[in-house]
Amino acid sequence: MMELYLNTTSPYARVACILLMEKGLISKVTLKWCDPWADDAELLKVNPAGRVPALVTNEGITLSESTLLAVYLDGAFPKTPMLPDNQRAQVLHLAGLGQNLMEAAFNIVIARKHDGHKANESMLGQRRWRALHRLLPQLESELGDTSPAVSLHLGEITTAVALAYLDFRLPEAVWQRACPKLGAWHAGIEARASFQQTAFV
């Protein structure tokens, strides 16, 4: 069986777990819960960077980064593609927006963890918040008038997890107030079993 190293608060790991669920592969994976901030010895053996997610394939090869996992999983298990050929560019475009939103939020959270709320006032802190406030209306314009399809793709999953991470770690962003259509889109995604079962705790 494959192994997936993850924890309950990483948005990146949550994307990987949802990918596996949406592709119907979660039963083929052993979930290895770990704390990447504690230099978990088992995690470091498979991924010296000490980051999650880390997927160990049946051949013993370790893959990291959610987008790379999606590429591998689509190649090895073509059913229910996360990067459909007929809309690959658009899916990657949306995944990039979601990934950038996730990165901005994650780095705000980590900076606060080490430097407190004064991290928001630094040049980098202000730059991250500006990025966040530009990305949200962009996503509203692109997704606000759409409905989730029967099958999700990588772009939708990444974006929805990024938005959920904002609610989880940065509730003061209150992004739904400025982006109500995006909020409605997100609520539809969050109702799916794969999102319910992987909610941040």
Side-chain angles (χ1 to χ4, degrees):
M1 289 186 54
M2 294 183 286
E3 294 179 340
L4 178 68
Y5 288 77
L6 73 169
N7 73 354
T8 57
T9 60
S10 165
Y12 310 103
R14 187 180 180 193
V15 169
C17 198
I18 291 171
L19 285 172
L20 290 161
M21 288 182 171
E22 291 288 335
K23 286 184 71 70
L25 297 173
I26 199 67
S27 63
K28 299 180 183 294
V29 180
T30 299
L31 301 181
K32 308 281 282 189
W33 300 97
C34 61
D35 180 0
W37 293 99
D39 286 343
D40 184 279
E42 270 197 84
L43 173 63
L44 293 176
K45 284 181 183 178
V46 298
N47 184 8
R51 295 186 60 182
V52 293
L55 179 73
V56 183
T57 70
N58 291 325
E59 296 75 29
I61 299 170
T62 302
L63 303 168
S64 58
E65 307 301 334
S66 300
T67 302
L68 302 180
L69 266 62
V71 172
Y72 165 75
L73 291 171
D74 273 6
F77 307 94
K79 185 179 178 182
T80 316
M82 295 292 106
L83 292 161
D85 287 337
N86 63 347
Q87 50 180 324
R88 184 174 292 250
Q90 181 59 31
V91 169
L92 289 171
H93 161 74
L94 183 58
L97 292 178
Q99 183 76 17
N100 283 316
L101 180 63
M102 194 180 295
E103 288 284 339
F106 183 79
N107 285 316
I108 288 169
V109 170
I110 296 304
R112 281 185 182 179
K113 180 178 179 179
H114 294 285
D115 299 321
H117 281 268
K118 68 179 183 179
N120 290 342
E121 306 305 319
S122 70
M123 182 181 71
L124 284 176
Q126 292 180 37
R127 188 171 189 269
R128 289 164 185 151
W129 276 105
R130 289 197 302 271
L132 190 150
H133 288 303
R134 289 192 300 267
L135 285 160
L136 287 167
Q138 179 69 32
L139 289 166
E140 164 99 339
S141 70
E142 295 197 23
L143 291 171
D145 293 318
T146 66
S147 298
V150 174
S151 296
L152 295 183
H153 57 60
L154 175 66
E156 293 167 323
I157 292 169
T158 303
T159 299
V161 170
L163 293 170
Y165 189 72
L166 280 180
D167 290 339
F168 176 54
R169 291 297 201 196
L170 299 173
E172 68 269 32
V174 289
W175 59 271
Q176 293 94 335
R177 184 182 303 166
C179 304
K181 291 183 179 179
L182 183 62
W185 174 86
H186 184 244
I189 299 278
E190 282 283 336
R192 295 177 75 95
S194 60
F195 278 78
Q196 293 285 308
Q197 293 169 23
T198 60
F200 291 120
V201 294

